[in-house]
Amino acid sequence: MLIELWGCDVWIVFSGHAFDRVDDRDIVMELIPNDIKSAEDELGNLKVGDKFVIKDTFSNITVVGIIKKSDLIKIITIVDKGKDFIAKNVSDIIIELS
């Protein structure tokens, strides 16, 4: 999927695990690019290799991803918890949307 971030085209790719979780948890796929776009400013501060967690308390989902290249973001998983999600890694950058 291609979206515009920071005035550039950025590829969003999903791991097989992420696709499985979307199906298993009945998550609306369109929420994911919307959350990424909503977190555009915070994501712009990250470097290649940084892992992030976008907690969307309004839609009650969490998107976990990693910056692979300046024009490539990989979504690792999607969880059907927003506010109550706890990141496993202390190094993950937490971005809260409400």
Side-chain angles (χ1 to χ4, degrees):
M1 159 187 313
L2 193 63
I3 67 172
E4 185 179 323
L5 292 174
W6 320 296
C8 303
D9 289 335
V10 175
W11 285 100
I12 307 297
V13 296
F14 294 82
S15 69
H17 175 81
F19 274 124
D20 290 345
R21 297 299 76 83
V22 167
D23 288 340
D24 293 347
R25 297 170 176 155
D26 293 324
I27 295 171
V28 177
M29 190 71 159
E30 289 77 18
L31 292 172
I32 299 158
N34 289 342
D35 281 353
I36 292 169
K37 190 75 173 152
S38 294
E40 180 175 14
D41 290 342
E42 293 89 344
L43 291 172
N45 294 325
L46 303 184
K47 299 178 217 129
V48 171
D50 284 347
K51 199 164 135 193
F52 61 86
V53 175
I54 301 173
K55 295 170 65 172
D56 181 344
T57 58
F58 181 76
S59 299
N60 199 34
I61 66 167
T62 295
V63 178
V64 179
I66 187 167
I67 307 294
K68 296 298 264 180
K69 297 195 295 187
S70 62
D71 63 348
L72 177 65
I73 295 173
K74 182 176 183 179
I75 303 304
I76 299 167
T77 193
I78 298 100
V79 183
D80 56 351
K81 295 179 187 173
K83 182 177 157 188
D84 298 329
F85 181 82
I86 298 171
K88 291 182 182 178
N89 301 312
V90 294
S91 62
D92 292 351
I93 288 85
I94 309 295
I95 301 166
E96 292 200 28
L97 307 176
S98 47

